[in-house]
Amino acid sequence: MMLARLNTLLAGLLAAVLVLWLLVPFAMALLWSLVDPGTPWSYPDVLPPALSFQRWVLMWETTTLSTAMLNSYTLAPVAAITAILLAAPTAYAFGRIDFPGKGIAQVVTLTPLVLPGFVTAVFFASILVSFGVYSRYGAILLGHVVLFIPYAVRILTVSFAQVNQEVINAARDLGASPLGVFRAAFWPVLKPGVLASFLIVFILSIEEFALAFIVGSPSFTTIPTILFSYLGYDFIRPNAAVVALILVVPNVMLMLFLERLLQSANPANLSGKG
Amino acid sequence: MPKAVKVALLLTPALGLVMVMMSLVIWRAVAQSFGLHNFNGEDVLSLRHWTEMLGTRRYWNALQWSAYVATTSSLITLAIAYPLALWLRKPFAGSFLLSALIKAPYFVPGLVAVFLLLNVIAYHGIVNQALMWVGLTDRPIRLQNDRNGYGLIALQVWKQLPLAFLLLQGAVQAIPDPVLNAARDLGAGSVARFRKVVLPLTARAMQAASILIFIGVAGDFTFQATVGPTRENSLATLMVQYQGVSYGDWNAAAVVGVTLMGLSLVGAVGFTALVQVATRIAERA
């Protein structure tokens, strides 16, 4: 009885702390993005004196934010689809074929996750200089595919392993073509894994900073690099608030969707960080 | 088609790509640190860039700082995540919500986390106002880029806690109840159960968590560049300074980059050993 009470008390306390460390910061970010540019929010006002969407309009019209968003949102889906297409054959081998050295091969696939991001970015840039590659879009795309392909391989390996051999055999016995077998036996099982891979690579590509910053700056901006510039030497709080929300809100929604998609799966397995 | 050929063909697109790109990147860093692929002159294989770098204070300070922040952050994160995972092993009213709240920062990109922190610790921000209200200070304190890096470490812990919690929660929940019940029936108290059953069964998850946190924090650029003490450098910020427009010294950057990879490796091995030794001592004691 005592113990149960204590537990409830502790849980309530922790929940309060957590709300403070999530809700308050996000509420402040939202408020800062809505401060009217004409009437600044300064000490000792507890709340902004005037709220408007003027800052959002200004950011859209006068900064490179729209270009950065275009860059980010054209990079991410292409990176995700490319990663899935390249990951699928390897995932098939990992999930459905037994061969010597499979364990090692699977570990090696994870190397992009353990190498420090900025080391990868700087020396990837160095290779680009040597080869005379000047397409920023192409370079960052290749980088993102390499960095995030381990996630796609990992998720799709599980999906391929779940495909039932008996269903495949049955489809074949009934005279299905290879495409027919794929549609009947593989696709229904693979579909959630493909969607999950797409989402995770998409989200990670939108958020990726090191490579986009080292390879892309100053000419090629993405949402994270523009946010970094507002956090650095020219710290403009309301501008940073707008960009931060543009970066975080869509991704959190996608992440929640991804969680639902993988309800039963442990996210630690999913991210390959297990 | 022979099976080996088939497997090789299947592995090429993803594993092949990763192997080629990552070995090129690692090779590039090592080669440039020894004077090859020199963009500023002739390629000469030499130790010059290493000896020059080892003679500068900036290098040693950055190495020390990165190692310190990574170690401290890993230990604090584990110290918070482990009790939480144990406490939330058995579901109770509200435990699901709590787990979700603990994991939430996982979804917040690092740069956004920086911005959130900068608002909270601003000169007239909520933390300063609270400190003044409690009476700990008469006037606001400068919390941004504090000299001791407390803000930096706090942010690292905030960001790394979900991962540690996820890994540890997975391990703790995987312990079958019958095992714990059997230990209890055999007369093991709660401390003994923790030492002899829970700890050994979760040691691998702790190793994995500490390694990933250490590597993640040791390679940090973003947090150091935005909320870290201005007079310190992390290895990553130092590397980017050498490589960037002000110096354009790729060879020096390579020396720092190779050092960073070395530090990650040392940290990984160190934490693996530390957890192993600690578990063994706890088991025997």
Side-chain angles (χ1 to χ4, degrees):
Chain A
M1 189 62 202
M2 254 309 266
L3 211 65
R5 269 237 177 108
L6 186 71
N7 219 19
T8 319
L9 192 74
L10 265 174
L13 201 70
L14 184 66
V17 170
L18 288 170
V19 165
L20 271 181
W21 88 351
L22 280 172
L23 216 62
V24 169
F26 274 107
M28 287 183 74
L30 187 64
L31 280 180
W32 271 110
S33 79
L34 293 174
V35 170
D36 189 71
T39 36
W41 181 19
S42 57
Y43 186 76
D45 296 333
V46 177
L47 289 172
L51 295 179
S52 76
F53 281 104
Q54 204 51 39
R55 181 69 63 175
W56 289 74
V57 178
L58 270 177
M59 286 289 290
W60 185 259
E61 284 171 351
T62 61
T63 67
T64 51
L65 177 65
S66 49
T67 321
M69 282 179 72
L70 185 71
N71 287 340
S72 283
Y73 279 95
T74 48
L75 264 172
V78 181
I81 292 169
T82 314
I84 290 171
L85 290 176
L86 293 176
T90 301
Y92 177 87
F94 285 161
R96 301 201 67 78
I97 305 174
D98 275 319
F99 57 91
K102 185 155 108 175
I104 298 170
Q106 284 180 299
V107 172
V108 171
T109 315
L110 301 178
T111 32
L113 304 182
V114 287
L115 209 64
F118 269 83
V119 172
T120 310
V122 166
F123 297 98
F124 182 65
S126 160
I127 295 169
L128 294 177
V129 172
S130 287
F131 284 86
V133 178
Y134 295 109
S135 161
R136 301 291 99 169
Y137 179 88
I140 297 173
L141 177 65
L142 173 63
H144 282 189
V145 169
V146 174
L147 282 181
F148 305 134
I149 211 169
Y151 297 93
V153 170
R154 192 81 185 207
I155 296 169
L156 291 176
T157 299
V158 176
S159 299
F160 271 113
Q162 283 168 348
V163 176
N164 192 334
Q165 187 63 42
E166 281 166 18
V167 181
I168 303 175
N169 295 344
R172 275 202 195 120
D173 291 346
L174 293 169
S177 62
L179 186 69
V181 173
F182 178 78
R183 277 176 45 188
F186 281 88
W187 183 241
V189 183
L190 293 181
K191 211 161 70 178
V194 170
L195 191 55
S197 307
F198 181 88
L199 283 176
I200 190 94
V201 178
F202 184 93
I203 292 167
L204 292 171
S205 166
I206 295 272
E207 291 174 3
E208 201 279 335
F209 173 63
L211 204 93
F213 177 66
I214 296 290
V215 174
S217 64
S219 56
F220 190 90
T221 52
T222 64
I223 304 174
T225 58
I226 216 171
L227 177 55
F228 182 72
S229 72
Y230 285 132
L231 294 176
Y233 290 111
D234 42 9
F235 180 48
I236 310 167
R237 204 184 292 273
N239 286 7
V242 171
V243 185
L245 289 172
I246 286 178
L247 181 58
V248 76
V249 172
N251 279 14
V252 166
M253 285 176 180
L254 288 176
M255 273 285 193
L256 292 176
F257 181 55
L258 181 69
E259 277 260 293
R260 294 205 73 158
L261 202 66
L262 298 157
Q263 250 168 4
S264 54
N266 181 348
N269 289 333
L270 147 77
S271 56
K273 289 168 172 174
Chain B
M1 190 178 355
K3 190 177 146 195
V5 178
K6 188 179 161 193
V7 168
L9 282 177
L10 287 170
L11 292 184
T12 306
L15 179 62
L17 178 72
V18 165
M19 278 172 69
V20 168
M21 291 304 299
M22 294 327 274
S23 41
L24 276 177
V25 164
I26 295 171
W27 163 248
R28 179 55 72 123
V30 175
Q32 283 195 314
S33 79
F34 289 108
L36 300 176
H37 299 295
N38 194 344
F39 295 146
N40 304 321
E42 295 262 313
D43 288 3
V44 185
L45 183 68
S46 82
L47 289 172
R48 187 169 66 89
H49 304 287
W50 278 95
T51 48
E52 276 179 14
M53 185 58 75
L54 295 183
T56 60
R57 273 195 74 90
R58 270 151 60 81
Y59 171 82
W60 291 107
N61 285 345
L63 176 58
Q64 209 182 341
W65 181 246
S66 283
Y68 163 73
V69 175
T71 312
T72 322
S73 308
S74 309
L75 291 176
I76 296 177
T77 308
L78 276 187
I80 298 175
Y82 200 61
L84 284 176
L86 285 177
W87 179 40
L88 294 170
R89 190 178 98 88
K90 283 270 170 106
F92 54 86
S95 70
F96 182 77
L97 182 69
L98 279 178
S99 293
L101 282 170
I102 295 171
K103 290 178 210 159
Y106 195 68
F107 300 155
V108 180
L111 281 163
V112 176
V114 168
F115 177 67
L116 297 180
L117 180 78
L118 287 179
N119 278 334
V120 176
I121 63 169
Y123 195 70
H124 287 299
I126 194 160
V127 172
N128 260 325
Q129 296 299 327
L131 286 178
M132 281 159 61
W133 185 69
V134 174
L136 282 174
T137 171
D138 297 334
R139 62 180 70 190
I141 311 168
R142 206 183 93 105
L143 294 168
Q144 198 172 330
N145 306 100
D146 66 293
R147 284 164 154 263
N148 297 309
Y150 295 141
L152 173 69
I153 292 171
L155 191 61
Q156 290 287 10
V157 172
W158 188 86
K159 187 77 183 104
Q160 303 290 345
L161 188 63
L163 177 62
F165 178 74
L166 277 173
L167 290 169
L168 291 169
Q169 194 187 33
V172 169
Q173 285 178 344
I175 301 174
D177 278 331
V179 173
L180 290 172
N181 293 340
R184 184 179 305 164
D185 291 347
L186 291 170
S190 58
V191 176
R193 282 205 302 278
F194 175 73
R195 271 183 14 220
K196 306 208 167 174
V197 181
V198 178
L199 205 55
L201 286 177
T202 51
R204 284 203 56 183
M206 261 204 287
Q207 285 171 331
S210 54
I211 290 172
L212 287 167
I213 297 169
F214 186 92
I215 293 179
V217 179
D220 164 63
F221 168 92
T222 317
F223 290 179
Q224 176 60 41
T226 47
V227 299
T230 37
R231 58 175 184 167
E232 300 286 356
N233 259 314
S234 72
L235 285 170
T237 59
L238 185 66
M239 175 178 72
V240 172
Q241 274 175 28
Y242 276 119
Q243 175 263 327
V245 272
S246 47
Y247 295 92
D249 189 345
W250 291 79
N251 305 97
V255 172
V256 181
V258 172
T259 309
L260 176 51
M261 289 194 271
L263 176 66
S264 304
L265 197 65
V266 169
V269 173
F271 266 102
T272 309
L274 179 73
V275 172
Q276 207 157 4
V277 170
T279 313
R280 223 170 266 168
I281 290 174
E283 257 180 297
R284 285 202 194 135

